[in-house]
Amino acid sequence: MNEPSPLLSLPTTRHDRWTLLDSLINRWHPPHAGPAGYTIEELQTAERTLGFAIPEALAQWYFTSGKRRPVWSRQDEFLPPEQLRMHNDALIFYVENQGVVQWGIPADELKSDDPSVVVESVDDASQWIPQTDNVSKFAIYMLGYTLAFADGGFWMYGYAKPSLVEILVSRLPMLDFPTTWWTQTRLLGYDDLIVAIDGTDHVHARATSKASLEAFDTLTTRDTFDTYASSDD
């Protein structure tokens, strides 16, 4: 219980990042019924519509686990290949659940094997902000981010007072998550616990067991954490 998280430091190669991604999906999500990914034929159909090849890393993501909607689209929407589209010089492939922002690949990087990912500015939709330097890194970041919102398992959600945020940041290991994430979210935790703190100090905590969740719960009090909902409700 509470072993170090593999997200403390991401692998340096794309192959190892996909291996880590598979292991995290298997650890945190139940087995998937039906095909996990899109077929080569489905990807080729999407490419004919687009008029160009889908970048290799994105195509691999679709091929290996793109149809696992409970994994990728629980919070925001991982667009199926047939819905890929160009917008403001970027290939849009992920959309925030209320349409506030979109994630895309810059048009001038579409021929790269593992291109960077940008996100729309909340203040100016015509402005792109760097998000990650590789699609394969973005996939792991998005998985870690969405784990806190995933259904099932053991979880708590609420508002943390600043004093609790300070405690969480000092007591729980900080995971290798970009400070440029659009919600200003920070990820902390262990192999069996992920805690997400957004820029407004709303906190999602999710664990693989009730005992693992206690590593978060024991740091909270009624005065410092206003629980909105939990798996015990």
Side-chain angles (χ1 to χ4, degrees), residues 79-174:
L79 297 180
E82 65 271 18
Q83 292 184 22
L84 290 172
R85 62 183 185 273
M86 293 298 298
H87 173 72
N88 284 347
D89 293 323
L91 177 65
I92 305 301
F93 68 94
Y94 232 117
V95 180
E96 192 268 341
N97 69 91
Q98 294 180 320
V100 175
V101 297
Q102 305 179 95
W103 288 270
I105 297 170
D108 59 0
E109 295 188 38
L110 289 174
K111 292 184 179 180
S112 299
D113 290 343
D114 198 1
S116 67
V117 176
V118 292
V119 63
E120 281 180 335
S121 166
V122 176
D123 300 319
D124 182 358
S126 66
Q127 180 182 355
W128 292 107
I129 298 173
Q131 188 78 106
T132 71
D133 53 358
N134 299 110
V135 167
S136 57
K137 284 185 180 179
F138 179 83
I140 293 179
Y141 292 144
M142 185 57 80
L143 177 65
Y145 175 66
T146 57
L147 278 178
F149 302 94
D151 196 14
F154 303 86
W155 57 275
M156 298 179 71
Y157 166 57
Y159 173 76
K161 297 286 181 63
S163 59
L164 176 58
V165 173
E166 291 181 9
I167 291 172
L168 294 175
V169 171
S170 65
R171 300 281 188 87
L172 299 176
M174 187 72 69

Side-chain angles (χ1 to χ4, degrees), residues 173-196:
M174 187 72 69
L175 304 184
D176 187 4
F177 198 69
T179 57
T180 56
W181 200 257
W182 82 277
T183 53
Q184 298 179 322
T185 294
R186 290 168 286 179
L187 285 189
L188 308 94
Y190 302 101
D191 182 51
D192 54 0
L193 170 70
I194 285 189
V195 177

Side-chain angles (χ1 to χ4, degrees), residues 55 61 64 86 132 135 155 204 206 231:
W61 186 356
T64 56
M86 293 298 298
T132 71
V135 167
W155 57 275
H204 288 79
R206 186 164 182 257
S231 51

Side-chain angles (χ1 to χ4, degrees), residues 5 20 27 32 45 72 74 86 102 113 155 160 192 196 223:
S5 171
L20 172 60
R27 175 160 178 72
H32 179 71
T45 297
W72 301 116
R74 181 68 189 177
M86 293 298 298
Q102 305 179 95
D113 290 343
W155 57 275
D192 54 0
D223 293 332

Side-chain angles (χ1 to χ4, degrees), residues 18-71:
W18 289 131
T19 300
L20 172 60
L21 195 69
D22 288 342
S23 67
L24 289 171
I25 291 174
N26 291 333
R27 175 160 178 72
W28 286 89
H29 289 275
H32 179 71
Y38 291 88
T39 65
I40 295 296
E41 290 74 21
E42 287 173 314
L43 295 177
Q44 289 175 339
T45 297
E47 289 177 333
R48 285 194 291 271
T49 300
L50 286 169
F52 55 82
I54 297 171
E56 185 177 322
L58 181 58
Q60 186 174 3
W61 186 356
Y62 280 128
F63 183 74
T64 56
S65 63
K67 287 188 176 180
R68 298 195 63 167
R69 291 188 58 78
V71 175

